[in-house]
Amino acid sequence: MPNRSAGNDYERILLTLRLALASHVGRPLPAFDIALRRYWDHQHPNESLEEYLNRGGLADRFGKALPQQVQSVLADVAQALLLPGTVGTAVGALTGALTTALRERRQTVRALAACDRLADLLDAEPDTNSLSYYPHLLAFELDRLPAAQAVVPVVMLDTFEDTGTRTHRDLERLVQRLVWLMPNALFIVTGRGRLQWGDTGLEGQLDYTGPVAWPGLAGQAVPGPRSAGTPAGSGRQVLIGDFAPEDCTDYLARRLTFEGRPLISAELREAIAQQSHGLPLYLDLAAHRFLELHRTGRTPSAGDFGTDFPALVTRTLADLTPDERHVLRAVSLLDAFDLPLATAAAGLPHLSAAARMVERPFVRQDAFALWPYHLHALIRSTLRTADDATDDRWTDTDWQQAASRALAALGAQWQAAPGLDRRLLVGCLRQGLALARDHRLDLDWLTPAAWAYVDDYVWEPVTLPARDGGEEGIATAADALAELLSALARRQHEHRSTTVSRLTEVLDSDLLPAELADLALYYRSKAYRDLGQAEESRDGMRRVADGGGRLAPDAARGLAHLSRVAGDFPAALATARTLGWDGRGNRVLGDIHFAHGDMAQATAAFTTARTDAERHSNRGEQAIAQANLALTYSFTDPSRADDEISLAEHLLAGLDQRATALTVQVAALARQAGTLTTLDGARALRTEIHAAGITAAQATLELALVFHHAVTGEQDKAQAAIARLTELTRTGDYKYCVDVARHMADLRMSEPSTVSWLDGSDAVRARWRNLVQARRDQLIAQA
């Protein structure tokens, strides 16, 4: 029967503890020893305690002191009670007399009378249930030991998962009473499962449950590596998680020694510790491997420990149910997961197996993460790469099917999310792309997810983990899409020439479907435009626009920008009027009016563009329109510009838009035109823009500087800025900026202008000269 089996196991646990104390303390523990002898004679009438200890090997391990100490206690109590006869054959009579004496509080047994529960326990039926409360007597005796003999027992309960199952907790219930009733002992409980005593859901299965009973266990995840000096927790229970690096090396130094010195060299200890990720099981296996190699006469090296141990798989899976093993293998495909995702990846119809599996100590939890659970790094890599010798190991087809299920589940989570959740979108993209790449799966929902990622102009990094085996290059459609999205995000931090190279590699792979190839082509064309390579940009934009795909309106906007860049403003205006919201037509109109110095119309256009973006919940486009609006006000109204710049910076917070951020910095510089005391900020900004390779930002910066020098009347400095502009626009692009600069500085054109203005050069000249004069008048009024 389970109860009987549990009782036998518990009996051995308690005897082992008492035997260890007998040899260490060297004196009887009367209250416990009397109760133990009564229990033993009742439960084992045909076998003495001494015979049992000899037969079970416990006497050889701990010595024969315990039977002698028990007999001594019985003799002392019999003498104190003045009982006649042989004590060894009259334990029942002795305990009965002792109980009476205790209840009458006789002076002859005053030492034992201090133990309040002794009489009750001696009165109770001497069965397993009573035995489970005897640790109270043991704790009482330990508390009474003289200072010279005082001890704190350290009790190791290893492989605690062997105490039973989640539905049969008979032995665990008894062991829990042992721990509860001995607060003056240190219990170290180790095993592959989390100790659940702090869970309120176990009420009724165990005696003491919940956070009040076990404050050190309730709601406490297995901790990660500790740093040196980390204070210990306040609870009596301490969960052991990963070892810190110093703990790993210390363990390896002590694990194998020869003549008092570590057998494993310091360098090798460091290498093994790094490979272990702090996992104690790995360190143990590494020590065994070192010993095996050392015995062959070969000196082990770091390379001998660079691979995972297959035994990690076997020992990790050992006590999991088949469904739990199924879930564990499935989630090893994922960086992080929740219960529905784990269950879907495993292909199971219920969450219970995943719920049980996440309680294991190799599952880490972060309540604030997008998905709260992730596997210990070493366990995960081992499950995916080591030889699996278990009976229910997965075939390649099983892994492929699990990857397909995981990819589909990620897509379902993203598509089911209410509203626009960028965090979930990027998380699903990262995990989904890795799955599709590693298992050569179709892109499926990753294609619309990529469009959703691009539409908002936010540009969070979508960096994938290295492929198993360290292979590089674009080999699958998922590789190509991952590189495409990475290039678009990284262009905010790289020179545009690097963006062109990366997108060219994506296009040359010919692995993307046509609509995503258009995405790469369009952004490569934008990068060409930023580099001042108008013809290459125009060719790509035209191909995208002529294709009539999703990016056709954006490509039309690109062509309008190229017309403006070339100084063909009538063509740019004609195209801008056809663009609408999809082509960001109002923003294009704002750029055209700004170039003409018509700040009233530019302000109106950029304001409308920002309102349109807000209505469509596109924060990235809002930031772009707002940055341009701030730049416009920087030339007309410095006070208002302060507020507009602040709003632009607010909208940019959390976004990654380098060109837009540079526009805001130029706006801050232009706002100070006429009052700048140093140009150090402008020089630093010029260096930053040059590193980004964005010609438009360089041209706008020089215009802002010309504006400042024109206001202050520093003609020589204005001409130096115009010279830089002339050099920058020698290819013909942004030539209109030279005209604008000369108008502000009140300089005549050195040669006829090639710019096709909407209302003639004289009108443009008058507007820009008026802006310079207005700023001078403002400064005079403030002086």
Side-chain angles (χ1 to χ4, degrees):
M1 294 293 291
N3 281 335
R4 182 61 185 166
S5 175
N8 291 340
D9 289 338
Y10 181 74
E11 189 178 272
R12 188 174 181 87
I13 291 172
L14 201 55
L15 273 175
T16 302
L17 177 55
R18 178 61 186 94
L19 284 164
L21 289 170
S23 61
H24 187 83
V25 176
R27 58 178 286 169
L29 303 176
F32 179 85
D33 291 348
I34 292 170
L36 174 65
R37 178 59 184 272
R38 177 170 179 264
Y39 166 86
W40 194 265
D41 285 0
H42 187 274
Q43 294 292 329
H44 302 268
N46 299 317
E47 184 178 30
S48 70
L49 179 59
E50 186 171 6
E51 290 171 342
Y52 173 82
L53 297 178
N54 289 331
R55 179 172 56 83
L58 293 175
D60 292 337
R61 182 178 175 189
F62 293 101
K64 300 181 179 182
L66 178 58
Q68 298 169 4
Q69 291 177 7
V70 171
Q71 197 65 25
S72 173
V73 166
L74 295 176
D76 291 344
V77 171
Q79 182 179 358
L81 296 174
L82 302 175
L83 293 178
T86 304
V87 173
T89 60
V91 173
L94 183 147
T95 54
L98 176 59
T99 301
T100 301
L102 289 171
R103 296 195 188 284
E104 294 175 355
R105 298 188 176 278
R106 298 179 192 171
Q107 286 297 313
T108 55
V109 292
R110 64 180 181 276
L112 290 175
C115 184
D116 294 335
R117 297 288 179 264
L118 177 57
D120 293 336
L121 289 173
L122 292 177
D123 250 353
E125 180 72 16
D127 55 14
T128 300
N129 188 59
S130 294
L131 180 68
S132 69
Y133 290 100
Y134 289 3
H136 167 72
L137 307 178
L138 203 55
F140 166 76
E141 292 291 357
L142 289 174
D143 196 52
R144 303 186 336 131
L145 289 175
Q149 293 177 299
V151 294
V152 176
V154 178
V155 185
M156 173 72 78
L157 301 173
D158 197 9
T159 59
F160 196 70
E161 64 275 6
D162 294 339
T163 57
T165 67
R166 296 169 189 272
T167 54
H168 298 286
R169 297 181 181 267
D170 303 313
L171 178 57
E172 184 177 0
R173 188 185 194 110
L174 300 176
V175 171
Q176 193 201 44
R177 287 180 188 170
L178 167 67
V179 176
W180 181 266
L181 294 171
M182 293 193 68
N184 49 359
L186 171 63
F187 288 87
I188 301 175
V189 183
T190 65
R192 288 189 288 271
R194 181 178 63 87
L195 200 59
Q196 299 174 299
W197 298 350
D199 297 351
T200 55
L202 290 181
E203 185 175 353
Q205 295 188 65
L206 299 174
D207 293 338
Y208 315 101
T209 60
V212 175
W214 306 100
L217 290 176
Q220 184 174 346
V222 177
R226 66 169 176 80
S227 58
T230 301
S234 58
R236 288 179 297 174
Q237 293 76 41
V238 179
L239 296 180
I240 301 175
D242 290 349
F243 285 177
E246 60 269 26
D247 294 332
C248 294
T249 53
D250 183 65
Y251 170 84
L252 292 170
R254 297 169 184 267
R255 180 68 172 78
L256 298 175
T257 61
F258 179 71
E259 295 181 350
R261 290 180 296 181
L263 196 59
I264 307 175
S265 69
E267 295 77 12
L268 186 54
R269 294 199 300 269
E270 293 285 345
I272 296 174
Q274 184 176 10
Q275 177 71 12
S276 74
H277 292 270
L279 190 67
L281 175 55
Y282 182 94
L283 297 172
D284 183 54
L285 293 171
H288 283 291
R289 174 173 288 180
F290 179 93
L291 202 55
E292 290 172 4
L293 294 172
H294 183 73
R295 284 170 177 164
T296 66
R298 183 166 68 84
T299 302
S301 64
D304 294 315
F305 303 88
T307 58
D308 299 321
F309 291 103
L312 271 177
V313 176
T314 305
R315 292 174 66 172
T316 299
L317 300 177
D319 64 327
L320 299 180
T321 67
D323 280 355
E324 290 168 0
R325 292 198 292 271
H326 205 52
V327 172
L328 178 59
R329 289 189 175 99
V331 298
S332 72
L333 296 167
L334 298 164
D335 293 333
F337 58 92
D338 56 17
L339 295 185
L341 184 57
T343 301
L348 296 177
H350 48 77
L351 297 175
S352 57
R356 294 193 304 269
M357 193 273 295
V358 298
E359 294 176 353
R360 301 290 175 159
F362 50 74
V363 178
R364 303 298 192 242
Q365 183 173 4
D366 180 357
F368 300 103
L370 179 59
W371 293 284
Y373 304 108
H374 63 276
L375 290 183
H376 185 285
L378 185 58
I379 295 295
R380 183 185 178 207
S381 67
T382 303
L383 283 167
R384 296 178 64 182
T385 60
D387 293 332
D388 189 343
T390 56
D391 292 338
D392 61 348
R393 61 186 176 275
W394 277 8
T395 65
D396 290 342
T397 301
D398 293 327
W399 285 106
Q400 190 74 8
Q401 291 174 345
S404 297
R405 291 192 299 265
L407 180 63
L410 284 166
Q413 281 201 0
W414 168 61
Q415 291 162 339
L420 300 174
D421 189 336
R422 291 289 300 187
R423 187 167 173 244
L424 178 62
L425 167 64
V426 174
C428 287
L429 271 174
R430 285 175 181 153
Q431 295 220 70
L433 282 169
L435 283 167
R437 177 198 66 185
D438 294 343
H439 298 274
R440 296 183 177 272
L441 303 175
D442 293 336
L443 293 180
D444 192 38
W445 61 269
L446 291 169
T447 296
W451 285 111
Y453 170 80
V454 169
D455 283 346
D456 285 345
Y457 307 156
V458 178
W459 311 122
E460 308 95 326
V462 187
T463 305
L464 303 191
R467 185 189 283 106
D468 292 338
E471 298 176 13
E472 300 293 338
I474 299 176
T476 67
D479 279 321
L481 180 54
E483 176 63 9
L484 167 59
L485 298 183
S486 176
L488 297 186
R490 285 297 303 165
R491 72 195 176 100
Q492 309 301 328
H493 306 278
E494 296 174 340
H495 196 277
R496 288 298 195 262
S497 61
T498 302
T499 304
V500 167
S501 297
R502 295 183 67 177
L503 294 179
T504 297
E505 184 181 5
V506 170
L507 289 166
D508 289 347
S509 72
D510 199 27
L511 289 168
L512 290 177
E515 58 178 322
L516 290 177
D518 265 4
L519 183 61
L521 182 59
Y522 169 74
Y523 276 97
R524 186 179 69 172
S525 300
K526 285 192 67 174
Y528 274 135
R529 187 187 72 208
D530 289 338
L531 291 169
Q533 296 175 243
E535 285 307 312
E536 291 85 346
S537 179
R538 188 174 290 108
D539 176 67
M541 292 293 185
R542 188 172 290 115
R543 287 164 57 189
V544 176
D546 291 346
R550 181 168 178 160
L551 283 173
D554 298 85
R557 178 178 74 250
L559 291 171
H561 280 312
L562 288 167
S563 295
R564 172 176 59 83
V565 166
D568 188 353
F569 285 102
L573 181 63
T575 303
R577 287 171 173 168
T578 69
L579 294 177
W581 158 251
D582 288 341
R584 313 297 191 257
N586 280 304
R587 174 152 60 89
V588 178
L589 286 172
D591 288 334
I592 293 171
H593 293 311
F594 179 88
H596 283 74
D598 191 344
M599 299 308 186
Q601 289 203 66
T603 298
F606 288 135
T607 301
T608 303
R610 184 188 64 189
T611 302
D612 288 344
E614 186 176 5
R615 187 169 62 251
H616 286 85
S617 300
N618 190 320
R619 188 179 176 188
E621 177 62 26
Q622 270 186 272
I624 296 172
Q626 179 60 35
N628 286 326
L629 185 61
L631 179 65
T632 303
Y633 275 115
S634 293
F635 280 87
T636 61
D637 188 344
S639 298
R640 175 68 180 271
D642 279 338
D643 294 336
E644 302 298 340
I645 290 170
S646 294
L647 178 56
E649 291 172 341
H650 172 73
L651 290 172
L652 279 169
L655 304 183
D656 200 354
Q657 297 182 352
R658 191 175 193 182
T660 307
L662 292 173
T663 299
V664 175
Q665 292 182 63
V666 173
L669 186 72
R671 193 211 70 78
Q672 300 177 70
T675 62
L676 287 170
T677 58
T678 177
L679 297 182
D680 289 346
R683 296 187 188 98
L685 183 55
R686 184 183 295 118
T687 300
E688 184 179 350
I689 293 173
H690 180 74
I694 303 176
T695 304
Q698 291 179 279
T700 308
L701 171 61
E702 298 303 340
L703 282 181
L705 288 174
V706 171
F707 183 46
H708 166 67
H709 296 313
V711 170
T712 59
E714 299 171 298
Q715 287 295 90
D716 56 335
K717 294 181 180 179
Q719 288 178 341
I722 292 172
R724 290 193 295 271
L725 259 179
T726 302
E727 176 63 22
L728 182 66
T729 61
R730 67 183 185 279
T731 62
D733 294 334
Y734 297 101
K735 274 285 189 184
Y736 71 88
C737 290
V738 177
D739 287 19
V740 169
R742 297 186 75 83
H743 294 332
M744 283 192 289
D746 199 21
L747 296 173
R748 290 298 170 183
M749 302 298 294
S750 57
E751 56 186 33
S753 175
T754 60
V755 178
S756 298
W757 297 103
L758 296 177
D759 51 1
S761 178
D762 290 342
V764 174
R765 180 185 182 86
R767 293 191 196 100
W768 283 107
R769 282 301 302 159
N770 287 340
L771 288 172
V772 172
Q773 189 58 49
R775 179 61 60 89
R776 286 176 177 169
D777 293 343
Q778 290 171 1
L779 294 175
I780 291 172
Q782 294 169 5

